[in-house]
Amino acid sequence: MSSETIDKTEISRRSFLSLAALWSAVLPAIALLGGIFRMVKPDVHYEESIRFRIGTAENFPVGTMKKLDDKKVFIFSTDNGLHAISSICTHLGCIVNITEWGFQCPCHGSRYNQNGKVIAGPAPRSLSWHEISQDIDGSLVVDASREVPAGTVLKLKA
């Protein structure tokens, strides 16, 4: 009987490389399976619609202005028709206030005339005009995703 004892805690180079090769195949396989199971669940973020109803023409008598705070838009009713102007400042996204001469941003002082055109301040461009349309049932719809040229109005049929 030999007095030499073999230390079983040491691992041979061949065994180490075999284990490394095995784990280099197992770990990517686990990651791949995780990705496949992740694809089953859709990655959907529900956002508020940028197309919304604002009521009927009777809600907007001629000569009035309504600010819809939740939709961030001003609705103007004139003799020519209806138009919608965004209440979001084009500088940093603050909500503008209406004044006797137009609009003003309370954050950084940008000023706009009644048509939303920049007259002073750091704002880089005018306020957006949004498209207004009338559905078959007579309700008015503002599409905030569609910007129209300043001065575009919806002429209501009497």
Side-chain angles (χ1 to χ4, degrees):
M1 192 158 124
S2 167
S3 63
E4 279 184 41
T5 59
I6 300 175
D7 189 7
K8 299 277 185 182
T9 58
E10 286 188 32
I11 187 167
S12 70
R13 182 172 187 235
R14 180 176 298 225
S15 298
F16 173 76
L17 291 176
S18 296
L19 283 173
L22 176 68
W23 282 106
S24 67
V26 169
L27 289 177
I30 292 171
L32 180 67
L33 286 174
I36 289 172
F37 289 123
R38 175 67 181 98
M39 282 182 14
V40 174
K41 183 181 177 215
D43 192 19
V44 178
H45 301 284
Y46 295 99
E47 296 178 1
E48 187 176 336
S49 175
I50 49 179
R51 183 176 157 85
F52 51 89
R53 294 180 188 276
I54 58 172
T56 60
E58 291 80 34
N59 296 345
F60 304 96
V62 174
T64 62
M65 182 282 305
K66 286 191 180 180
K67 181 179 181 183
L68 304 178
D69 289 324
D70 58 330
K71 303 298 183 187
K72 298 177 178 72
V73 69
F74 292 103
I75 307 295
F76 293 90
S77 178
T78 63
D79 292 331
N80 297 332
L82 290 168
H83 63 275
I85 299 178
S86 173
S87 64
I88 301 173
C89 180
T90 58
H91 177 230
L92 290 177
C94 301
I95 303 301
V96 298
N97 297 319
I98 194 154
T99 64
E100 63 276 355
W101 41 264
F103 307 95
Q104 182 168 2
C105 177
C107 302
H108 301 104
S110 293
R111 292 182 179 198
Y112 306 87
N113 66 11
Q114 289 93 355
N115 289 330
K117 184 176 181 194
V118 177
I119 55 176
R125 63 183 190 89
S126 301
L127 294 175
S128 302
W129 282 53
H130 299 309
E131 180 183 74
I132 297 182
S133 60
Q134 192 168 20
D135 275 350
I136 295 172
D137 63 357
S139 62
L140 300 170
V141 178
V142 175
D143 190 351
S145 68
R146 298 196 61 186
E147 191 172 325
V148 296
T152 304
V153 297
L154 171 67
K155 296 185 188 297
L156 296 173
K157 298 172 184 130

